[in-house]
DNA sequence: GCCATTTTATTCGCTAATCAAAATATCTAT
DNA sequence: ATAGATATTTTGATTAGCGAATAAAATGGC
């Protein structure tokens, strides 16, 4: 196999490739979704709970508002998720002294331990195989993923206001 | 920019790239998730409901068991989702004559119409931008996405039914 | 033909996620 | 000091999802 893919590019039809990449994208989504479920079962936590725990552990501590923003859920939901984690002894709540409105959520030793000992199988599988790839292919994948991410995020920004308008005319 | 990325590959640290690609992957997942929510709001349906409708429309008709398999949920859930769609007049239930246990779920005219007019910002923006890319970059992205998909599926190779979110891709 | 097994769809009881709106407590600026 | 802003939680509701139980119909062995 060679580094440059341009030759292979000529083979497939031009229009197919959009479809092909969308299909590939969906396969990736599907795989990660399945992964999330098995991970959830393995740790005894649900996926949203695990996400919150990861956010908190990554930052060292976080307010419910931080969590809500980073996890992409409402504040009420964030509170509910923190409740569950706190009940399981994986995080603690501490009221701030400087601003008594804010609550710091921090992982307990047990919470950190759980993240360490229950590593994401997605990450594991991916990492293991990714690191076996030749250098050029790693670089290609990084570039492609970032490209796709940028494209999708650009779309999300454009689409938001547009959708609000169109949301009414149905039903 | 040139076709071959090998030069750039030398720049970044070797270990970073695994992390970088995981981060990029998460951005993609996040974007598609947000997209699903806005799409759901725009159509007045929830994401699982939309998936079921797409499965039914793609196949012409489907039994609750089919749906359950393709959507990756239990039969009870499939029944519940069909209930919602039926209540909104987007699908119909018909008992089979040959085997009176089975129920055929088929889209109504209104259901098909909704899928046609439903804006799918993810697909739309992705396609629009993807098609503007130079040939070599398209090929690179397809190759990379398929590579990643294969790697992830290797981890969870239960060959689960494909998520038919697309409504376009049929084998 | 008859009974046991399997298959298909549905119902029921329960947990979790999620949101919007209201309630509470606290801070900040005037 | 008071009005408004901010952070969190509570409340009330909907949806998704699972597993177990149920009902109805097909199938296979005898």
């Amino acid at each position: 196999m060679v580094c440059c893919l341009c030759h292979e590019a000529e083979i497939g039809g031009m229009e197919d490739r959009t479809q092909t990449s969308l299909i590939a994208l969906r396969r990736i989504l599907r795989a990660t979704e399945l992964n999330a479920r098995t991970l959830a079962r393995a740790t005894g936590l649900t996926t949203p709970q695990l996400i919150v725990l990861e956010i908190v552990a990554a930052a060292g501590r976080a307010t419910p508002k931080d969590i809500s923003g980073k996890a992409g859920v409402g504040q009420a939901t964030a509170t509910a998720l923190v409740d569950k984690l706190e009940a399981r002894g994986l995080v603690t709540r501490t009221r701030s002294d400087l601003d008594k409105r804010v609550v710091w959520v921090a992982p307990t030793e047990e919470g950190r331990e759980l993240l360490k000992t229950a590593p994401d199988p997605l990450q594991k599988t991916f990492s293991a195989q990714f690191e076996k790839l030749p250098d050029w292919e790693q670089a290609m994948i990084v570039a492609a993923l970032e490209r796709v991410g940028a494209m999708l995020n650009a779309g999300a920004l454009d689409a938001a206001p547009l959708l609000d308008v169109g949301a009414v005319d149905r039903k």
Side-chain angles (χ1 to χ4, degrees), chain A:
Chain A
M1 208 186 213
V2 291
C3 165
C4 185
L5 289 168
C6 298
H7 333 304
E8 305 175 30
E10 317 291 350
I11 301 174
M14 181 82 164
E15 317 73 24
D16 292 341
R17 286 210 298 250
T18 306
Q19 286 310 310
T20 309
S21 44
L22 280 171
I23 292 169
L25 207 44
R26 295 208 175 92
R27 268 190 82 198
I28 293 174
L29 296 182
R30 178 76 185 154
T32 52
E33 184 190 316
L34 287 177
N35 173 72
R37 287 190 197 174
T38 45
L39 177 57
R41 255 194 299 274
T43 59
L45 296 178
T46 65
T47 309
Q49 287 169 20
L50 199 58
I51 289 173
V52 169
L53 182 56
E54 274 166 354
I55 290 172
V56 168
R61 60 177 195 179
T63 67
K65 178 153 205 171
D66 291 339
I67 295 170
S68 142
K70 287 185 184 168
V73 300
Q75 282 196 17
T77 305
T79 293
L81 293 173
V82 170
D83 283 346
K84 302 270 170 65
L85 293 176
E86 193 184 22
R88 276 182 171 79
L90 300 174
V91 301
T92 57
R93 272 190 170 99
T94 315
R95 243 192 158 102
S96 166
D97 283 332
L98 292 104
D99 186 338
K100 283 179 184 167
R101 291 170 304 178
V102 328
V103 167
W104 288 112
V105 181
T108 62
E109 216 26 73
E110 194 183 342
R112 282 199 206 86
E113 202 54 34
L114 186 148
L115 286 182
K116 243 180 252 164
T117 59
D120 193 338
L122 169 69
Q123 180 157 343
K124 212 181 236 175
T125 318
F126 182 84
S127 302
Q129 301 193 57
F130 184 82
E131 275 154 17
K132 274 188 291 188
L133 295 179
D135 207 62
W136 66 268
E137 202 167 358
Q138 289 188 2
M140 177 187 88
I141 287 178
V142 169
L145 287 180
E146 285 182 337
R147 188 62 136 156
V148 171
M151 282 167 30
L152 293 182
N153 277 5
L157 293 180
D158 297 346
L162 212 80
L163 283 177
D164 288 343
V165 180
V168 208
D169 57 357
R170 213 160 284 102
K171 74 165 126 158

